[in-house]
Amino acid sequence: MKEQLDELINTVVKNDYCIGCGICASIEGSPLAMKLDENGKYKPLMNIKDCMDEINIDFLSICPFSSHSINESELGKKLFDDYEGISFNEYTGYYLKNYAGYVKEGDFRKKGSSGGVGNWIASKLLQENLVDGIIHVKPANQKDEVLFKYQISCDNDELSKGAKSKYYPVEMSQVLKFVKENEGRYALIGIPCFIKGVRLLAEQDEIIRERIKFCIGLVCGHLKSDMFAKSIGWQLGIEPKYLKGIDFRKKLENRLASDYGVEVIGEKDGKEVILNSPTRHLYTTNWGHGLFKYNACEFCDDVLAETADITVGDAWLPEYTKDSMGTNVIIVRNPVIQQIIENNKNKLWIDEISVEKVYQSQAGGFRHRREGLAYRLYLKDQNNEWRPPKRVKSNNNLPSKRKRIYEERTKLSQESFKAFKAAEQVNNFQVFIDYMDPMIKKYNKLSAPSIVRRVLSKIKREILRRIGR
Ligand SMILES: Cc1cc2nc3c(=O)[nH]c(=O)nc-3n(C[C@H](O)[C@H](O)[C@H](O)COP(=O)(O)OP(=O)(O)OC[C@H]3O[C@@H](n4cnc5c(N)ncnc54)[C@H](O)[C@@H]3O)c2cc1C
């Protein structure tokens, strides 16, 4: 076990490919403990007090980014390939049916980030007595050093307190320990790599396999360090140490669903305040810039949580984004979940959609995580650096402009951590802007569509508008 652990630390952790999921620290007797690092990302730290003589779990095969774990397609095959009517696509993974839709009953949609299907399906699993608890991310206690953490909800009231997306570092070591120690049937909500990690653990750990009955996946662009939340609060006037809460997805009436806002709670000039802003007015919220992104996300090719029983995301398609209340894209892989949807169609508004539409709803994410990843892998291989094995093959065969876009994106995320620390040192957010601005301007210029493409897409939009789509 000692050799495996050393290899895990020397490859995944030391080279910054760790997503901080906490699976390795969840194992009984593990010498690892999850801690936030200086960049506000969870990392496993060696906790020498513990002893690991008794551990019989292979650390390398449970880590979603190690070179010994099986990939999402292999896991998907084991999980879903036997289901009647199942299909496979290289972007969606296995699927029974795909939908765009939202919840009509209760306030799931109002309280949710998107169409509310994420928490609704969790509540149905509870209501139909298929599980006893939902493992998901909720606001932490005031005494915690973080704003959000994984917790377990056993009824709708509890569940609704955890609605909405947390673009924030979370880890599962404590909650998985709880599952191991407390008999019950659970459903787990998580981003793709976290679910992959739980599936890998379940391959080896019978108790986890028995108790975690369902996984609900969230589509994922990338995960953010805690600097993302702090930077938003700071821009609205709350210094990082006084930020007490954040809503990353405040719906704005009469705007496109993609044009949402944020709300922060904290102390400003000695008084508790609640402040909000559309994200378009903020400096750090352009997802394309990838500020404060975990490096692991640059080396992940699973956008749609391919190992989850159902995946929910945002239907970022023009026909749905015009509704500011939000619409989900939904990929169903498990027949039990499919049946729940069939039985409750009157409680939902849903459109069955093709895999092509699912792809289009996340086209930018796929480009970055397939074409862009191939190029990032190529760069690592050229430098003879260790990197995790991926389904995507290393490739240098891209137009030079695309290569520069990917290179500049990597630089933006890496430099954003340094810039934020420099700003914190002098307690002045303007230092962050001055540091990042030349790089952001260069990137914006490079990635702006050419005049010809701009004119063509304007014509396309106008045609679609006239034919009413
Ligand atoms: C880091 C991150 C990146 C994302 N990137 C994309 C993207 O690129 N494209 C896209 O279409 N969608 C993305 N999503 C998903 C999207 O933001 C919504 O979460 C999704 O559409 C579900 O909306 P809903 O209204 O159905 O969910 P809700 O009904 O609001 O339920 C969401 C559920 O997810 C849980 N949850 C929230 N955040 C986390 C978390 N970090 N880890 C585990 N559980 C969590 C909540 O506790 C809640 O139970 C991302 C989500 C996250 C967390």
Side-chain angles (χ1 to χ4, degrees), residues 113-114 116 118-119 136-137 162 164-167 219 221 313-314 328 362:
S113 282
S114 180
N119 259 7
H136 67 145
V137 174
K164 293 208 177 180
S165 315
K166 285 50 171 221
Y167 305 130
V219 174
D314 291 284
N328 285 112
Q362 307 296 327

Side-chain angles (χ1 to χ4, degrees), residues 92-99 219 304 308-313 329-334 358:
T92 56
Y94 285 87
Y95 67 95
L96 287 171
K97 290 207 177 197
N98 304 309
Y99 302 98
V219 174
L304 296 185
D309 296 293
I310 176 173
T311 298
V312 289
V329 62
I330 306 158
I331 298 106
V332 186
R333 305 188 180 90
N334 183 325
V358 175

Side-chain angles (χ1 to χ4, degrees), residues 108-109 111-120 122 134-138 150 159 162-168 170 189-191 194 216-224 249 251 287 303 312-316 327-329 361-362 365 369:
F108 290 98
R109 190 184 192 202
K111 289 193 169 162
S113 282
S114 180
V117 174
N119 259 7
W120 178 83
I134 307 295
I135 307 167
H136 67 145
V137 174
K138 296 168 74 171
Y150 260 103
L159 191 61
K164 293 208 177 180
S165 315
K166 285 50 171 221
Y167 305 130
Y168 193 84
V170 287
I189 306 185
I191 55 172
F194 278 46
I216 300 172
L218 301 173
V219 174
C220 188
H222 60 262
L223 185 60
K224 300 281 193 188
R249 293 283 300 256
K251 290 173 182 177
W287 280 79
V303 176
V312 289
D314 291 284
W316 294 139
T327 306
N328 285 112
V329 62
S361 82
Q362 307 296 327
R369 311 281 275 288

